[in-house]
Every structure is written in structure tokens, then in C-alpha cells.
Amino acid sequence: MRVPADFINNNKIAFNDIIGAEYQEEIWDTWQVKLKEKATIELEYPITTKSGQIRWVWERGCGIYSDDGKLLFLEGFITDITEQKQAEAELKESEEKYRAIVENNHDAIYIYKGGKFLFVNDKTSDL
């Protein structure tokens, strides 16, 4: 099991090494821009745990500067959002199935509320 001390000063591993390879350069570049702007950063990306499991994290951080503007530290917060990402993927899949059923249905399907059509499928339009 990795512990926070493993990452401090890259004691045993650099945090960058557990970030998905396809995200590493983009994250690095984003940090560089935000540090120059002295702005807060927010990112979502996958990491690989010590056991090899892929987990999604949300990171929010910023630079801490001296009075003369020199970068002293990076400060931030990283939390596991894997369950949220899975729920988003399931919702997207459900929406795609629903859309396919409604749009390819041979019956007229519509939503009418308050004197307005809020949604009509192609069959409704054809009628």
C-alpha cells in the first residue's frame, strides 16, 4: 500500500508516475500555465493504484509564492471520483439507449407541456 510519505519529495515514487500516460503531458502543461498566471487549477484524470487498479481523481491546487513572487510550494487537494465517473458513464449509456429507442421508434413520441412541444421524435414530425 502506498502512503503519502512515498510521494513527498518523490521519496519512493513520483505522483506523475501513477498518472495515466496519455494525461501526463497535458497536466504538466496546464500546471505550468496556471503557475505563471498564479491561478488555481482543477483537473480530472486517471491514476493507477499500486495494485494496478485504475481510479479517477479530481485535483484542485495552486502555487504558494514568496513576497517577491517566487514559487515556494504547490498546495492542493486530490480526491477519488471513480464512483462519480462510473455513474456519469452509466447515465450517458442510458441516455444513448433511450435516444436510440425514441428516435428510431415507428410510433409518434412527444412531450407536450404548457401549450408547447418540448420534444418530438421523427415519426411525430412525419405525421
Side-chain angles (χ1 to χ4, degrees), residues 28 31-32 35 59 61-65 71-76:
W28 172 263
W31 264 104
Q32 300 315 302
L35 289 171
E59 176 179 13
C62 62
I64 303 299
Y65 302 89
L71 177 64
L72 300 174
F73 308 102
L74 298 179
E75 180 177 75

Side-chain angles (χ1 to χ4, degrees), residues 24-122:
Q24 290 176 359
E25 186 175 339
E26 178 184 348
I27 291 169
W28 172 263
D29 292 344
T30 301
W31 264 104
Q32 300 315 302
V33 168
K34 294 298 184 179
L35 289 171
K36 285 180 184 175
E37 296 172 350
K38 295 187 177 167
T40 299
I41 191 170
E42 288 190 31
L43 298 165
E44 294 179 2
Y45 52 87
I47 62 169
T48 303
T49 65
K50 188 173 185 178
S51 66
Q53 185 181 25
I54 302 297
R55 305 293 294 180
W56 277 86
V57 297
W58 173 75
E59 176 179 13
R60 180 180 170 98
C62 62
I64 303 299
Y65 302 89
S66 66
D67 290 339
D68 62 355
K70 180 181 174 188
L71 177 64
L72 300 174
F73 308 102
L74 298 179
E75 180 177 75
F77 176 81
I78 299 172
T79 191
D80 187 336
I81 60 166
T82 303
E83 289 182 15
Q84 176 185 335
K85 293 297 264 187
Q86 289 170 338
E88 289 171 0
E90 290 169 5
L91 179 59
K92 182 178 179 185
E93 182 180 340
S94 175
E95 288 173 345
E96 289 170 355
K97 286 179 186 176
Y98 167 78
R99 184 174 311 284
I101 290 168
V102 171
E103 290 179 354
N104 297 312
N105 201 299
H106 296 291
D107 295 322
I109 299 174
Y110 62 89
I111 299 172
Y112 184 80
K113 185 176 181 180
K116 294 181 181 179
F117 285 96
L118 303 177
F119 171 83
V120 297
N121 68 346
D122 288 342

Side-chain angles (χ1 to χ4, degrees), residues 11-26:
N11 186 28
K12 292 187 178 178
I13 188 169
F15 188 79
N16 192 60
D17 294 340
I18 68 170
I19 296 172
E22 67 276 17
Y23 292 83
Q24 290 176 359
E25 186 175 339
E26 178 184 348

